[in-house]
Amino acid sequence: MTQFSDNHIEGNIKLQTSQLLYWSIPFDIGWKALVDGKEQKIEQVSFGFMGIPLSAGNHQISLQYEAPYVSMGTKVALVAWLLYIAGVIFFLIKQRKLI
């Protein structure tokens, strides 16, 4: 292991044969795995944990976690705020025309 934090794990592994790399981290769709710089699908193994199949050889592994739907939620909130501001402006303009 070369780096470790709450949402990022990185390290190197050398395998003689093809094997499954297993983490005792609960499976969550927010985790993304890179093997030698290419995205690899994470599989749910052993009652809800994570693993990825690896071929023989040297590999650089990187796991990154991003909470699911955060970017979508941020975009929806931004659109909602813009609609709210547009509604307030429209209401104020309409009130001034009535006076």
Side-chain angles (χ1 to χ4, degrees), residues 57-68:
N58 294 325
H59 300 287
Q60 181 181 10
I61 312 295
S62 178
L63 284 177
Q64 184 72 36
Y65 183 79
E66 183 179 314

Side-chain angles (χ1 to χ4, degrees), residues 57-95:
N58 294 325
H59 300 287
Q60 181 181 10
I61 312 295
S62 178
L63 284 177
Q64 184 72 36
Y65 183 79
E66 183 179 314
Y69 310 114
V70 168
S71 64
M72 184 190 309
T74 302
K75 291 173 187 172
V76 169
L78 179 61
V79 168
W81 270 105
L82 291 174
L83 289 173
Y84 173 75
I85 292 169
V88 168
I89 291 170
F90 177 76
F91 177 77
L92 291 174
I93 291 172
K94 189 166 180 134
Q95 288 291 46

